[in-house]
Every structure is written in structure tokens, then in C-alpha cells.
Amino acid sequence: MKIREIAPGEAPPMALLLLADPSKKAVASYLDTSECFIAETDDGIVGTYVAGGISDESAEIFNIAVAEEAQGQGIGRTMLLDAIERYEAKGYLWLHIGTGNSSIGQLALYQKCGFRIDGVIRDFFTANYEGKIIENGIWCRDMIRLVKALQCNTEIGG
Ligand SMILES: CC(C)(COP(=O)(O)OP(=O)(O)OC[C@H]1O[C@@H](n2cnc3c(N)ncnc32)[C@H](O)[C@@H]1OP(=O)(O)O)[C@@H](O)C(=O)NCCC(=O)NCCS
């Protein structure tokens, strides 16, 4: 599997991006200002992530998705590690990611990759997304913010 940034003029994999974020408006807004990467095998595109700088010190992963038939095979973890390496090499100190309070598997994966919970944006999804999102039988209302320290072994909070 190879991970590469999409080429100028190459269309981002919208169906995959919408799997992770059902808001076309949100996807369009961060695609405009960030970098989009794809994970490819001989069978085609199996995953994607969108990330970019949000300040001099911090970058954020805005979207990460793996094709349904390819999930659970380590592709998500490989893309997260790719993002960590890439944004560390660019000189950023912190890599942020946000997910829903109901996204149990995602919260597990991000913490296994070294991200730590850094805050909660209460009612983010109820305020910004149409319709009620239910996942794992839980109402998705709040955004859990996570962050990973780059560049050194510094752990947030000691
Ligand atoms: C989230 C997503 C990107 C993960 O990609 P993936 O390729 O399926 O994930 P991986 O196979 O790399 O890793 C899954 C890891 O999470 C762990 N995990 C998943 N659900 C878990 C749970 N409920 N409890 C504990 N661990 C869990 C797995 O055990 C695995 O860890 P391991 O590598 O130590 O075994 C993918 O499932 C996806 O695209 N989902 C839909 C879109 C989405 O929700 N995107 C994120 C929006 S915030």
C-alpha cells in the first residue's frame, strides 16, 4: 500500500470523505485549505485523510476514512502514523483530531496511536449537523478533541 498526496487537479475521493463526515459543506471548506492524501493498493483507493496546519505550532487531521470493505486491516492506523510522521517532519509540535462522543472505535484507535483527550466541544454536532446522528446506540452530540505531541517524547499533562 502506498500513501501519497493527491496530484494537482486530481479529484479528492468524496465518497470516502463523506463516510467520515456527512457534511458536504464542512468537507468542502477544509479541502479548500488543507492537503488530501490517499492510500492506494493495486485494487485502487482504499483510504484517505485530509490534514493541514491550523497555527504555526499545530496541525489537524480533519478527516480520515477507510473504504468499508477494507476496514479493520490496519489501514486507518497506517494513515494516522503517516500523518504523525509527515506533520512532525514539517516542524509542527502538536497534531489534533476531533471525533464524536459516540465514535467508540475511533476513540480507541486514536488513543492507541498516542493521541490524548484534550477537551470537549459540547453540542458541536447538534449545532452544526442536520438530523440526529446515532452511532453505537449513542446520540452523537459532542466533539471529543484529542492531541498528540510531536517532535519529542513530551506527554501532555505530564
Ligand atoms: C475509523 C477508521 C478510519 C479506522 O480505520 P481502520 O482501517 O478500520 O482501522 P484499523 O484497522 O487501522 O485499526 C482499528 C484499531 O482500532 C481498534 N478498535 C476499533 N474499534 C474498537 C473498539 N470498539 N474498542 C477497542 N479497540 C477498537 C482496533 O482494535 C484496531 O486496533 P489494533 O490495531 O490495536 O488492533 C475506519 O473504520 C473508517 O473509515 N470509519 C468510517 C469513517 C470514520 O468514522 N472516520 C473517522 C471520523 S472521526
Side-chain angles (χ1 to χ4, degrees):
M1 189 181 73
K2 193 178 147 204
I3 300 176
R4 65 167 175 90
E5 187 174 0
I6 59 168
E10 186 178 1
M14 280 311 286
L16 273 182
L17 294 168
L18 291 169
L19 194 64
D21 184 345
S23 167
K24 280 187 184 166
K25 200 172 145 199
V27 172
S29 78
Y30 50 68
L31 267 179
D32 227 27
T33 53
S34 317
E35 297 164 310
C36 180
F37 300 90
I38 51 175
E40 278 177 321
T41 66
D42 291 343
D43 296 332
I45 297 174
V46 290
T48 185
Y49 75 86
V50 178
I54 53 171
S55 72
D56 288 349
E57 294 190 340
S58 291
E60 176 160 350
I61 298 172
F62 298 107
N63 188 309
I64 181 164
V66 172
E68 263 161 330
E69 64 280 8
Q71 289 177 9
Q73 298 169 25
I75 297 169
R77 178 188 280 263
T78 304
M79 290 197 296
L80 277 172
L81 298 179
D82 181 85
I84 290 165
E85 210 173 282
R86 224 178 262 274
Y87 285 88
E88 190 164 45
K90 288 176 190 276
Y92 289 101
L93 303 182
W94 308 99
L95 185 60
H96 300 257
I97 194 163
T99 194
N101 59 282
S102 52
S103 299
I104 304 301
Q106 289 80 343
L107 284 166
L109 172 61
Y110 302 157
Q111 290 177 86
K112 284 179 178 180
C113 289
F115 288 82
R116 292 186 66 177
I117 291 174
D118 189 39
V120 179
I121 305 178
R122 282 177 68 91
D123 296 310
F124 177 85
F125 292 100
T126 34
N128 294 291
Y129 285 72
E130 275 174 31
K132 194 170 182 175
I133 305 169
I134 305 281
E135 192 186 14
N136 299 310
I138 304 166
W139 183 10
C140 179
R141 288 188 280 191
D142 309 317
M143 181 190 275
I144 310 294
R145 302 286 307 168
L146 298 100
V147 67
K148 179 172 170 59
L150 307 176
Q151 309 298 338
C152 59
N153 295 321
T154 308
E155 291 286 327
I156 295 169

